[in-house]
Amino acid sequence: MALLQANAVVMNVDANCAAIDAAAAAAALAGAGVLVTPELFPVGYAPRRVRAELDPARLPELHGKLADIARRHQVGLVYSLPQVTGQGEWRISATLLDAEGNSLLDYSKVHLFGPDERAAFSPATQPPAVVNFNGVPTSMVICYDVEFPEAVRAAAVAGAELLLVPTALAHGFDDVPQVLLRARALESQLTIAYANHSGVEEDCRFLGGSVIAGPDGRLLAAAGEEAQLLFAELDEDSAAKARGKVPYLAERRPDLYRSWGG
């Protein structure tokens, strides 16, 4: 699999989609089955500005352009865009496409981070779903969601063995990819692929630090601060092996936990 870590240009859709196109070509050439891109990358991460300047009527065209990228390069693709519900609520969403450009899975962000996201978007309420992607039970969450054990555990309990996470993590939060992500992967015994921005967009300096963590908590790949395309080869049996060795999921006691409250 491949992760794109790059600097988007806020509200320059053509430049950002060109970066995804180039990354998809390189990922396909290297034999990757999927390319994961950062949160809101096609429009850039600037929630208030995106809400003010993006015409929702452009969204179908953007989805079509990204599907064409996946189809032309014959590679799966995860991308994140705003979503506008039938009730007029703006949400942060992510989509998983197969190598033919077909949409397999959509997810909307449940946990919004900071005043800018909360001013521009509404939180979703639906749990992460799971689909069979290239033979692997796969789910998605977005950025801050992965920092809550409940969100990752919900995906794992639903059967996920691979969790794809577009993110927009600011500089200074190094412990999130280096400690917390590894703990989430270990405690729910799945692989987590976490793709972040790099550089500066508007006033936000991003950490970079994209990672792929295996079901045993080990890092399979890790990026520095600069833009790069990150690769890792996944063992499709790794989740089953980890769950067989220490059966965290099978030995949970959810009825008891509910009686504890919280």
Side-chain angles (χ1 to χ4, degrees):
M1 67 182 312
L3 271 63
L4 172 64
Q5 178 172 291
N7 182 218
V9 183
V10 175
M11 294 308 299
N12 189 333
V13 169
D14 290 340
N16 298 333
C17 285
I20 294 174
D21 195 327
L29 186 63
V34 64
L35 170 68
V36 186
T37 66
E39 181 180 12
L40 294 178
F41 190 87
V43 293
Y45 184 83
R48 293 177 190 264
R49 186 172 166 194
V50 168
R51 175 65 185 267
E53 298 180 20
L54 180 65
D55 181 355
R58 294 192 65 190
L59 289 172
E61 172 197 348
L62 282 176
H63 285 287
K65 181 177 290 192
L66 291 157
D68 180 64
I69 290 172
R71 187 165 45 248
R72 281 190 291 105
H73 298 296
Q74 287 291 287
V75 66
L77 179 64
V78 173
Y79 64 87
S80 171
L81 281 172
Q83 173 196 51
V84 182
T85 71
Q87 293 71 43
E89 291 185 330
W90 285 59
R91 293 178 177 165
I92 299 174
S93 74
T95 299
L96 169 63
L97 304 177
D98 67 14
E100 298 298 328
N102 301 307
S103 178
L104 300 181
L105 184 62
D106 291 299
Y107 172 81
S108 295
K109 191 172 184 178
V110 171
H111 302 91
L112 299 179
F113 182 82
D116 287 348
E117 281 195 11
R118 295 188 186 103
F121 298 102
S122 298
T125 59
Q126 293 300 306
V130 178
V131 297
N132 185 317
F133 175 67
N134 292 349
V136 180
T138 300
S139 189
M140 291 190 298
V141 296
I142 300 172
C143 195
Y144 195 35
D145 288 327
V146 80
E147 299 181 37
F148 293 81
E150 296 87 351
V152 180
R153 182 54 58 85
V157 169
E161 297 180 3
L162 173 62
L163 187 66
L164 306 174
V165 189
T167 193
L169 185 71
H171 196 271
F173 291 94
D174 305 60
D175 285 347
V176 172
Q178 289 297 321
V179 179
L180 190 148
L181 261 293
R182 296 175 69 178
R184 290 289 169 271
L186 174 62
E187 70 193 5
S188 285
Q189 298 172 307
L190 40 64
T191 298
I192 299 180
Y194 184 83
N196 195 20
H197 295 249
S198 64
V200 176
E201 297 171 29
E202 296 290 282
D203 296 324
C204 184
R205 178 185 173 193
F206 291 99
L207 174 66
S210 301
V211 296
I212 302 172
D216 57 1
R218 291 187 302 112
L219 287 180
L220 304 178
E225 290 192 23
E226 301 304 317
Q228 69 175 100
L229 197 57
L230 193 66
F231 290 95
E233 187 169 350
L234 305 187
D235 175 1
E236 292 184 3
D237 298 323
S238 59
K241 291 174 183 175
R243 293 171 185 181
K245 186 175 181 180
V246 183
Y248 289 136
L249 298 181
E251 294 183 349
R252 293 181 315 118
R253 300 184 64 188
D255 291 339
L256 175 63
Y257 308 150
R258 278 191 287 271
S259 74
W260 292 353

